[in-house]
């Protein structure tokens, strides 16, 4: 008998009654006449014992084993992955060998700490004297399976396009009403309402309470969502919950809820505070907020800040206009102050000065001309006077003229009885020819 | 375009052009006088625009401060 082998089924039965049929089956083999006849004189060889152990273990057949993966060794180029599988309660471990293809095909990566159920055949490796469970199938259980299922759903819905960026609707700047879906009297509700009121005292909430965890959560959240969607005044919907475990948040990954949110025309903000394991709601929502407070900040503008911004803009516009206006005014004043406009008479007086100057030049020219003529006349008159016979006449000479004015210079110039004019210094005498004689 | 429909910029630019012409000189007297009269009119139009703008600005400021 091999004590280790006979004890093992008992321990297995004790810790994991699920596998009782196999263990019992194995136990049956234990009572079959396998015992070898050995003695100090006739010892069995190692190979014989190893083969016997191997054959015995082989008879255990295929079993399902549940445990926690404590170690994963994946060596480059090796077709086998070695796992350490530990009992969930007792400090008992067993080695598992799994084909690399099996491990790689898992939808969730097999990591240390994962709870798994393995379908395996206990196998004894004779050359190293090592027992190992040769895995044929590995399934995640508990959290691992949940996450794997979520991941699978995420991939399907993503492929369907439910999470596409093109579906994301912008949030309204100033919502008429803010729809809020949250648990009655929850911290999330208080956070959203308080932060919202602080930012905009006039904000109006339309609050629908729903179970935010448990079996009714999905249905109640969908109902609340549909009622808020039906309310035309609700411009944005916040789904808020203050975090929780992956299991708590499962309703927010429910396919029915994801599709309901996708079908909603009102923008939806997801505020299911959880960092690591994103509920699918976060992906389908139009905006993902880290916390309910964050959701309130995104949905509701800070009115004080906004009005300050508007005021600032108005002041800048006014200043710009005033600067422009005074600049233009200055320019216009400059134009008006130019001499041509300010004193239009200056052009006229300039012109009249020109005219005056011309007039003076004309006057000067004319008067000098007149003066020159006068001088000329006086000169000529003097010369005429110098040539006058009057002085001679004053000495007693006189000039005799016929009535026609011709001077009498010879006796033949006159006839007897003809009238004659005798000019003397102070006048003239009229006489008649009474006789003539030649010298 | 009638003068009343002149924008501030149109009035201002035409005024500046008239000032330039008058300053260069050389235009016949009758034409210079006509230019000057036109300039006066344009200055009035531009000023009226500015006054209107100032009034609107002041009214807005007053309303804002109320």
């Amino acid at each position: 008998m091999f004590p280790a082998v006979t004890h093992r089924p008992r321990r297995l039965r004790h810790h994991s009654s699920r596998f009782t049929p196999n263990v019992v089956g194995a136990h049956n083999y234990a009572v079959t006449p396998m015992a070898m006849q050995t003695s100090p004189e006739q010892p069995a060889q190692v190979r014989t014992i190893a083969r016997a152990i191997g054959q015995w273990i082989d008879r255990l057949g295929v079993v399902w084993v549940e445990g926690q993966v404590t170690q994963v060794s994946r060596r480059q180029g090796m077709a086998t992955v070695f796992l350490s599988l530990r009992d969930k309660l007792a400090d008992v471990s067993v080695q598992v060998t799994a084909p690399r293809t099996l491990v790689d095909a898992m939808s969730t990566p097999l990591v240390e700490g994962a709870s798994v159920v393995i379908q395996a055949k206990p196998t004894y490796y004779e050359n190293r004297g090592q027992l190992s469970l040769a895995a044929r199938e590995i399934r995640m259980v508990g959290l691992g399976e949940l996450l794997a299922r979520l991941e699978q759903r995420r991939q399907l819905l993503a492929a369907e396009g439910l999470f596409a960026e093109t579906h994301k609707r912008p949030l309204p700047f100033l919502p008429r009403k803010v729809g809020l879906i949250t648990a009655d009297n929850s911290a999330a509700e208080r956070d959203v309402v308080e932060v919202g009121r602080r930012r905009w005292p006039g904000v109006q909430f339309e609050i629908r309470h729903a179970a935010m965890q448990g079996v009714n959560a999905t249905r109640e959240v969908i109902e609340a969502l549909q009622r808020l969607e039906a309310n035309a005044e609700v411009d944005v919907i916040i789904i808020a919950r203050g975090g929780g475990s992956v299991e708590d948040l499962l309703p927010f990954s429910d396919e029915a809820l994801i599709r309901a949110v996708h079908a909603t025309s009102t923008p939806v903000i997801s505020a299911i505070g959880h960092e690591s394991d994103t509920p699918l709601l976060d992906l389908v929502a139009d905006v993902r907020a880290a916390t309910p407070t964050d959701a309130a900040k995104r949905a509701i503008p800070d009115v004080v800040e906004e009005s300050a911004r508007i005021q600032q803009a108005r002041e800048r516009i006014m200043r710009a206009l005033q600067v422009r206006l005074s600049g233009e005014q200055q320019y216009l004043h400059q134009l008006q102050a130019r001499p041509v406009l300010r004193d239009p008479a200056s052009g006229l007086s300039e012109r009249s000065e020109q005219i005056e100057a011309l007039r003076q030049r004309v006057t000067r020219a004319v008067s000098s001309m007149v003066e020159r003529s006068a001088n000329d006349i006086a000169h000529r008159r003097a010369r005429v006077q110098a040539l006058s016979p009057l002085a001679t006449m004053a000495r007693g000479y006189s000039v005799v003229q016929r009535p026609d004015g011709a001077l009498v210079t010879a006796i033949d110039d006159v006839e007897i009885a003809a009238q004659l004019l005798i000019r003397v210094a102070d006048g003239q005498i009229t006489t008649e020819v009474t006789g003539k004689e030649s010298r | 375009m009638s003068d009343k429909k002149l924008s501030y910029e149109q009035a201002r630019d035409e005024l500046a052009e008239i000032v330039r012409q008058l300053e260069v000189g050389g235009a016949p007297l009758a034409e210079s006088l006509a230019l000057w009269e036109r300039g006066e009119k344009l200055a009035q139009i531009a000023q009226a625009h500015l006054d209107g703008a100032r009034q609107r600005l002041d009214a807005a400021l007053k309303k804002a401060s109320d």
Side-chain angles (χ1 to χ4, degrees), chain A residues 386-429:
Chain A
L387 293 173
S388 169
L390 275 181
T392 313
M393 280 195 252
R395 293 203 307 272
Y397 293 90
S398 59
V399 177
V400 179
Q401 289 176 292
R402 288 195 315 219
D404 63 357
L407 291 172
V408 179
T409 57
I411 53 173
D412 290 343
D413 287 347
V414 296
E415 304 291 334
I416 298 296
Q419 294 267 318
L420 286 176
L421 216 53
I422 303 167
R423 283 187 179 273
V424 293
D426 61 345
Q428 57 189 28
I429 301 160

Side-chain angles (χ1 to χ4, degrees), chain A residues 300-315:
Chain A
I300 301 154
D302 190 327
V303 170
V304 176
E305 191 182 302
E306 290 300 334
S307 49
R309 221 175 279 166
I310 289 169
Q311 186 56 32
Q312 231 172 27
R314 288 175 69 191
E315 280 166 12

Side-chain angles (χ1 to χ4, degrees), chain A residues 263-279:
Chain A
T264 306
S265 63
T266 313
V268 174
I269 302 178
S270 158
I272 310 296
H274 204 277
E275 282 304 314
S276 54
D277 300 304
T278 305

Side-chain angles (χ1 to χ4, degrees), chain A residues 177-310:
Chain A
K177 280 190 173 178
V178 177
L180 174 60
I181 302 173
T182 188
D184 193 7
N185 200 24
S186 63
E189 178 178 355
R190 277 195 303 280
D191 286 352
V192 172
V193 171
E194 272 173 25
V195 172
R197 292 240 160 91
R198 198 163 61 228
R199 290 170 69 82
W200 180 26
V203 67
Q204 287 195 47
F205 285 105
E206 187 73 27
I207 300 175
R208 297 268 169 234
H209 291 131
M212 296 306 274
Q213 66 185 70
V215 287
N216 293 325
T218 303
R219 184 177 50 77
E220 290 188 15
V221 171
I222 290 174
E223 275 172 16
L225 187 70
Q226 284 166 349
R227 289 181 69 178
L228 290 175
E229 163 82 350
N231 186 336
E233 287 203 315
V234 174
D235 288 332
V236 60
I237 297 172
I238 299 173
I239 302 178
R241 195 206 130 96
S245 68
V246 175
E247 287 90 341
D248 286 343
L249 300 185
L250 274 182
F252 300 100
S253 292
D254 188 279
E255 186 171 340
L257 176 59
I258 301 312
R259 291 195 183 279
V261 170
H262 183 252
T264 306
S265 63
T266 313
V268 174
I269 302 178
S270 158
I272 310 296
H274 204 277
E275 282 304 314
S276 54
D277 300 304
T278 305
L280 300 187
L281 177 65
D282 276 356
L283 302 177
V284 76
D286 299 286
V287 170
R288 175 190 178 179
T291 58
T293 302
D294 183 31
K297 283 182 184 168
R298 285 161 184 258
I300 301 154
D302 190 327
V303 170
V304 176
E305 191 182 302
E306 290 300 334
S307 49
R309 221 175 279 166
I310 289 169

Side-chain angles (χ1 to χ4, degrees), chain A residues 86-102:
Chain A
R86 188 180 179 280
D87 188 85
K88 280 173 130 176
L89 300 172
D91 186 14
V92 175
S93 291
V94 64
Q95 193 189 58
V96 176
T97 55
R100 177 181 282 272
T101 49
L102 182 68

Side-chain angles (χ1 to χ4, degrees), chain B residues 2-21:
Chain B
S2 98
D3 286 346
K4 289 210 167 146
K5 294 226 176 102
L6 277 183
S7 72
Y8 169 75
E9 283 74 16
Q10 287 167 330
R12 181 198 61 191
D13 294 347
E14 197 184 332
L15 177 59
E17 175 58 20
I18 282 174
V19 168
R20 193 190 64 76
Q21 284 181 18

